[in-house]
Amino acid sequence: MAALSGAKHSSDPIVDDEYRIVLFEDREELWDIHARRHGMPLSFRGLDRRTGAGNLSRKQPLGRAIGSKATVVIDATAGLGHDASLLACMGWQVIGIERDPFLAAALDLSLRDAARCDELQDMLSGQLEFHCGDATSMLPTMEADVVYLDPMFTGRRSRSALPKKPAQVLQALVDPGDDQTLLAAARDRATRVVVKRPSDGPAIAEPDLVFPGRQVRYDVYLGARQ
Ligand SMILES: C[S@@+](CC[C@H](N)C(=O)[O-])C[C@H]1O[C@@H](n2cnc3c(N)ncnc32)[C@H](O)[C@@H]1O
């Protein structure tokens, strides 16, 4: 069985201004810098892995937005890797890109944890890899069927699509990016670009197709590779 690939980053920062990564013998956790106990596990084990009509079904809005013809999906805004690991468990070959080195180190450790869990190892091995860098400059050297984007949403929203703790971590660590430039770079390299938005949030540009879900919707943009 192929080993799970790790995030490639130039250094190994495990302390940020607001968070630190604490390494235990059998697990890794993200801790608020002021906290004395209770970190957030760096792990994909919490992923809802129900098949059939469950979370991993390709009949869900996310699966329909990505499309059954796709093989390779680039998640160009990997964050904590929840969506990338979900897409990989749904059967796509996923390459995640994260520009924040601290988050890229966290992704690396979540992959390390997946290798300790037989079920996740079976689902993710050879299916998921992460790279640290700016997707806008990396995408022109890559090719994919689909580029998936989940840009940081800075407006008001009724409910976050991520569980509370991971959403707080991302809000604290991440600066808003240039979504338009990233969308243009993605459209150049893929047959379609799927952008996750809060169901009540504005689109970053007029989409070609929309797949509505309960908390989020997926806006689809046709790309240059048809
Ligand atoms: C809302 S978070 C994504 C959350 C992710 N979907 C998950 O499941 O954890 C957006 C992430 O995209 C990253 N990002 C934004 N612009 C980027 C770019 N041009 N290249 C790489 N990463 C980028 C941010 O650093 C942030 O971690």
Side-chain angles (χ1 to χ4, degrees):
M1 193 175 288
L4 292 163
S5 324
K8 296 181 177 72
H9 39 86
S10 49
S11 58
D12 278 343
I14 56 167
V15 179
D16 178 83
D17 289 348
E18 304 197 40
Y19 288 93
R20 65 198 152 115
I21 292 171
V22 182
L23 307 174
F24 295 91
E25 216 163 272
D26 58 346
R27 67 190 192 282
E28 296 81 21
E29 292 183 354
L30 193 66
W31 285 46
D32 187 303
I33 207 92
H34 304 295
R36 292 276 168 267
R37 50 191 183 146
H38 300 313
M40 182 183 81
L42 291 174
S43 170
F44 300 135
R45 291 176 202 237
L47 180 70
D48 175 355
R49 301 195 286 277
R50 281 172 301 154
T51 53
N55 198 40
L56 299 187
S57 165
R58 289 191 178 195
K59 292 185 181 146
Q60 303 281 2
L62 172 60
R64 288 172 28 234
I66 299 287
S68 54
K69 289 188 189 149
T71 306
V72 178
V73 178
I74 295 178
D75 178 350
T77 54
L80 288 163
H82 290 101
D83 292 336
S85 58
L86 171 62
L87 290 166
C89 285
M90 289 169 85
W92 285 289
Q93 176 86 39
V94 180
I95 303 167
I97 306 175
E98 173 51 52
R99 69 176 173 194
D100 183 285
F102 183 80
L103 287 171
L107 287 167
D108 198 9
L109 293 170
S110 296
L111 268 187
R112 186 200 288 189
D113 178 73
R116 297 186 200 114
C117 167
D118 289 346
E119 191 191 340
L120 277 178
Q121 168 80 2
D122 284 347
M123 294 181 104
L124 297 181
S125 182
Q127 289 291 113
L128 178 61
E129 62 185 60
F130 290 110
H131 300 267
C132 182
D134 185 336
T136 306
S137 48
M138 289 175 73
L139 281 169
T141 66
M142 303 170 82
E143 278 192 359
D145 301 306
V146 174
V147 176
Y148 176 82
L149 303 176
D150 175 20
M152 206 69 213
F153 182 68
T154 48
R156 262 193 62 225
R157 65 168 81 179
S158 39
R159 262 205 302 177
S160 167
L162 279 172
K164 198 169 162 216
K165 188 74 190 169
Q168 280 172 354
V169 170
L170 288 168
Q171 289 284 355
L173 288 176
V174 172
D175 297 323
D178 180 350
D179 301 343
Q180 302 296 333
T181 308
L182 186 54
L183 175 62
R187 287 185 89 161
D188 253 13
R189 304 311 294 173
T191 55
R192 60 165 68 181
V193 181
V194 175
V195 182
K196 179 180 177 183
R197 300 304 281 164
S199 48
D200 53 358
I204 60 177
E206 187 63 35
D208 293 305
L209 293 167
V210 176
F211 292 86
R214 265 189 303 151
Q215 289 182 42
V216 297
R217 63 165 203 277
Y218 300 95
D219 293 344
V220 173
Y221 301 85
L222 299 181
R225 282 184 66 216
Q226 290 299 329

